[in-house]
Amino acid sequence: MARKTANDDPLAPVTVAVGQEELLLDRAVQQVVAAARAADADTDVRDLTPDQLQPGTLAELTSPSLFAERKVVVVRNAQDLSADTVKDVKAYLGSTVEEITLVLLHAGGAKGKGLLDAARKAGAREVACPKMTKPADRLAFVRGEFRAAGRSATPEASQALVDAIGSDLRELASAVAQLAADIDGTIDEAVVGRYYTGRAEASSFTVADRAVEGRAAEALEALRWSLSTGVAPVLITSALAQGVRAIGKLSSARGGRPADLARELGMPPWKIDRVRQQMRGWTPDGVAVALRAVAEADAGVKGGGDDPEYALEKAVVTIARAARSRGR
């Protein structure tokens, strides 16, 4: 979820939302607009792109009104503003106008950093909206969405939803909203499966689960279905890597209760139980072979090979064979 600075008043004179996660950026804007309209239902909202904000436009929009009307001025892609307009914005940061809230959406990074630094120096309220590239971040997002909806969901249900939907935060948020509206009581993995079984079968994590369990035919079927429904090959190699690494971590860890191992390995306790079931048949040599296969597939899908689909199929078969290496 979006992270905020200590100044968490959405009606602060200036808010900067920093990052590239579109859903979080939009929510940052919506929060400011909602707060402004709660204070004044007639609040005027101007939502502008860099090409619409010419030199002098901001001064015109922020001129004190005779009737002191409340106004929200949203500037998207602020890193792309022209040099002259950046000067206008910096000047405004030094002399903000009461009843006007300026919202700057900035991608972060080096481009336009001077404007971002100036806003921070001026004491702007900041909302961090980073791109959620890690599965753990998306899992935390889903859990937060359930909490915000006042609903209880099991850890397995949250993980199943991430596995089924993938990396699109808008779709994840929509799925949580649908489940919260339709289901009474605690939302569990079975409920998620009923609603999103088709998506779950196409999930990159389903491919990985079947592969590390040694179920080559099912893993290949899931892989082909995933690719046919538009799952990015790089997401599949990432899931394969996570699955094999989890096997390696748990196989080299000391025995103990799931809660103790969870703390040691940085996994949730329910995942410890799942990986324990998956690791039967694995050997240290098998893990090493599987990791090499994942590395080769990753290179193949990132331009190192002519056929990403073949690279993934080869990796899935190698991993499934490695999962059955004990006793051979």
Side-chain angles (χ1 to χ4, degrees):
M1 300 179 73
R3 298 188 301 275
K4 306 177 183 66
T5 57
N7 175 16
D8 196 23
D9 179 6
L11 292 181
V14 180
T15 287
V16 288
V18 185
Q20 299 179 43
E21 192 59 71
E22 291 296 330
L23 173 65
L24 300 184
L25 290 167
D26 285 346
R27 284 185 173 181
V29 173
Q30 290 163 9
Q31 184 187 34
V32 172
V33 171
R37 286 186 168 155
D40 181 352
D42 295 325
T43 294
D44 181 22
V45 178
R46 303 296 180 91
D47 197 324
L48 306 169
T49 56
D51 61 304
Q52 296 173 309
L53 197 64
Q54 300 299 318
T57 303
L58 183 63
E60 180 181 340
L61 290 173
T62 57
S63 297
S65 168
L66 178 64
F67 303 103
E69 65 178 351
R70 184 173 291 278
K71 186 180 295 184
V72 175
V73 178
V74 180
V75 179
R76 296 184 181 271
N77 299 312
Q79 72 279 356
D80 296 330
L81 291 172
S82 69
D84 287 338
T85 303
V86 167
K87 290 180 182 178
D88 289 349
V89 177
K90 287 182 176 179
Y92 178 77
L93 293 173
S95 56
T96 57
V97 178
E98 191 175 357
E99 302 298 319
I100 293 179
T101 300
L102 175 65
V103 183
L104 302 173
L105 307 189
H106 195 291
K111 187 176 183 181
K113 188 173 183 297
L115 176 58
L116 185 56
D117 289 343
R120 286 168 171 163
K121 186 176 181 180
R125 167 181 177 260
E126 183 169 343
V127 182
C129 305
K131 200 75 175 174
M132 293 191 181
T133 58
K134 297 179 180 178
D137 292 337
R138 294 192 287 274
L139 180 58
F141 172 79
V142 167
R143 289 173 173 168
E145 291 291 288
F146 277 122
R147 285 195 300 271
R151 299 303 308 278
S152 175
T154 66
E156 293 85 353
S158 295
Q159 183 65 61
L161 197 59
V162 172
D163 291 350
I165 300 299
S167 60
D168 190 313
L169 252 60
R170 291 188 189 279
E171 290 194 27
L172 284 169
S174 176
V176 169
Q178 180 181 24
L179 290 169
D182 291 356
I183 304 300
D184 294 326
T186 299
I187 296 165
D188 59 19
E189 188 175 14
V191 168
V192 174
R194 287 201 305 271
Y195 270 70
Y196 299 101
T197 182
R199 297 292 295 275
E201 289 170 0
S203 158
S204 57
F205 288 97
T206 300
V207 178
D209 284 342
R210 299 297 85 81
V212 300
E213 290 163 2
R215 296 152 66 178
E218 293 177 41
L220 287 171
E221 182 181 0
L223 171 64
R224 289 161 187 158
W225 183 254
S226 284
L227 294 172
S228 71
T229 55
V231 176
V234 69
L235 294 179
I236 298 174
T237 56
S238 175
L240 290 170
Q242 289 181 54
V244 175
R245 286 174 187 148
I247 297 287
K249 284 182 179 181
L250 192 55
S251 63
S252 62
R254 299 187 303 275
R257 298 178 303 169
D260 296 332
L261 288 170
R263 285 192 293 271
E264 180 182 343
L265 302 178
M267 300 180 189
W270 65 266
K271 188 171 183 179
I272 296 291
D273 292 334
R274 176 179 290 181
V275 176
R276 271 180 168 164
Q277 294 173 357
Q278 293 174 334
M279 65 187 286
R280 296 167 186 163
W282 282 91
T283 65
D285 287 344
V287 172
V289 168
L291 286 173
R292 285 197 295 272
V294 171
E296 290 173 3
D298 191 55
V301 303
K302 292 179 178 176
D306 297 327
D307 190 342
E309 184 172 342
Y310 172 73
L312 287 169
E313 289 182 354
K314 181 180 177 182
V316 163
V317 170
T318 302
I319 292 168
R321 287 175 178 168
R324 302 192 304 270
S325 58
R326 189 181 296 278
R328 287 180 11 180

